[in-house]
Amino acid sequence: MTRTRHVNCIIPPHLLDKLLDSDDSEIRKAALDTLLTTTRLRGERSVRASFAGAAAAGNGRRTVFDCRQGRFLPFAVLVRTEEGAESGDISVNRAFDGLGTTRDFYQKVFQRNSLDGLGMRLDGYVHFDAGYNNAFWDGRQMVFGDGDGRMFTDFTGSIDVIAHELTHGVTEFTAGLAYHHQSGALNESISDVFGTLVKQWASNESAETADWLIGADVFTPDIDADALRSLKAPGTAYDNPLLGKDPQPDHMSRFVNLPNTERGDYGGVHINSGIPNKAFYLTAVGIGGFSWEAAGLIWYESLKASSMETKFQDFADTTYQKAEELYGAGSAEQLAVMAAWQGVGIQISGVPAGVARARSLAAGRDGGVGREDGLAALSKQVGALAAQVRELSEDITSLKAMR
């Protein structure tokens, strides 16, 4: 499979575009500088370089460099390695720790040896550019801006942001999801899903107690915003005059059609990702417990089974199939997957209409599966149906034994 390298940024272009309309000249300038720098990076064939003395590849070895507000990565200074002492720079240490936590998550939860599965080294670059309002994965390394201090803070402060960006690397080395339209939105969603799973895993949070937010720490305290995105309630992460309203849909009926251009967010990849994000949230809550266990494993195995042009329907069908392979036909996990996708307007292919209607009654015919007052009822219904399936299976086995 041919791997397409892409500069994947945590701050979407629609949000930076909105900041260009600000009455504050400093905010406008920071947004414009960030957009121009990101465009330049995307226009380059590669922004990667080799560094003398850097740690060799193997088992996800970490190396952190200091760009010292420069934009040219080969000029960055090596500041921390696996063998080195802790730095006096908090950004260096947070980047180093974030790389390690993400690496350990994939190793301990999914037995994956770094991003490529083969021990790929993890290089991080801090203090990129002056007031750069973004963080990105460029196909080889993780790069962090310091933020402008007015809108955004240092991007090394969010473990879910770090895990989100590094997961783009996992996606590159598995499905290689093309970065446009539905496959691109699925690419972004996968990064959001595993970004929040790393955060939940590091804090030992259950599906019920997690905040399900991406980038809750990237805004300064003066900005009225919860986060960049919400998996629990897409479209509600922020709503204020400066940023506008979070445009993410939570249902296929509200899918946003945008052009496949940089300013169109390559068909709205950061926007329509809200739909599969909500499907994962509903799956995780429907199953209960720790989200990285059953729900995370289903999504991870489905990612590995996907291809470059996989669309929402394809991925939904794959998660349903993987849930059966992992936990059995008619299991609580499989039924939770089916109900979750129905909750965002996607019917699993080949599921009998009668079964689909039963799930719709449990979830609410208007997509109300996402409502907080329906989640508990949905979970009980899924569990009850799973028990009925198991009882039926036992009855059939008993009848066969009597013959």
Side-chain angles (χ1 to χ4, degrees), residues 32-41 71 128-129 132:
L32 180 59
D33 288 347
T34 298
L35 282 167
L36 291 175
T37 297
T38 304
T39 298
R40 177 183 63 80
L41 289 170
R71 299 179 182 178
F128 176 78
D129 204 357
Y132 184 66

Side-chain angles (χ1 to χ4, degrees), residues 12-172:
H14 66 78
L15 201 154
L16 292 171
D17 279 342
K18 179 64 178 177
L19 295 179
L20 293 177
D21 297 330
S22 172
D23 294 332
D24 190 315
S25 61
E26 292 184 7
I27 290 177
R28 289 200 307 272
K29 182 179 185 303
L32 180 59
D33 288 347
T34 298
L35 282 167
L36 291 175
T37 297
T38 304
T39 298
R40 177 183 63 80
L41 289 170
R42 284 178 171 150
E44 294 176 354
R45 181 67 60 181
S46 173
V47 294
R48 296 173 293 167
S50 298
F51 291 85
N59 297 319
R61 290 172 61 86
R62 295 166 292 175
T63 311
V64 178
F65 299 87
D66 186 351
C67 295
R68 299 180 295 182
Q69 275 70 57
R71 299 179 182 178
F72 193 45
L73 298 187
F75 287 171
V77 177
L78 178 64
V79 288
R80 189 170 178 187
T81 67
E82 292 286 357
E83 296 77 17
E86 184 173 304
S87 171
D89 185 331
I90 189 173
S91 296
V92 171
N93 294 329
R94 288 192 304 205
F96 190 81
D97 292 343
L99 295 175
T101 299
T102 305
R103 175 198 62 193
D104 294 347
F105 169 83
Y106 277 105
Q107 175 62 54
K108 295 179 180 180
V109 177
F110 302 124
Q111 293 73 55
R112 186 177 185 84
N113 188 5
S114 193
L115 308 185
D116 62 351
L118 300 172
M120 179 181 184
R121 59 181 290 162
L122 299 176
D123 291 341
Y125 292 77
V126 300
H127 306 308
F128 176 78
D129 204 357
Y132 184 66
N133 283 333
N134 229 324
F136 62 85
W137 165 260
D138 71 358
R140 166 74 183 273
Q141 55 236 340
M142 179 79 208
V143 182
F144 303 90
D146 290 331
D148 58 9
R150 295 285 305 280
M151 285 289 304
F152 297 100
T153 62
D154 183 347
F155 286 85
T156 63
S158 296
I159 180 59
D160 50 334
V161 167
I162 296 174
H164 169 107
E165 292 303 322
L166 293 177
T167 297
H168 281 301
V170 175
T171 298
E172 285 177 12

Side-chain angles (χ1 to χ4, degrees), residues 269-282:
V269 299
H270 287 93
I271 296 175
N272 292 313
S273 56
I275 297 171
N277 276 0
K278 183 63 177 282
F280 179 81
Y281 165 75
L282 292 174

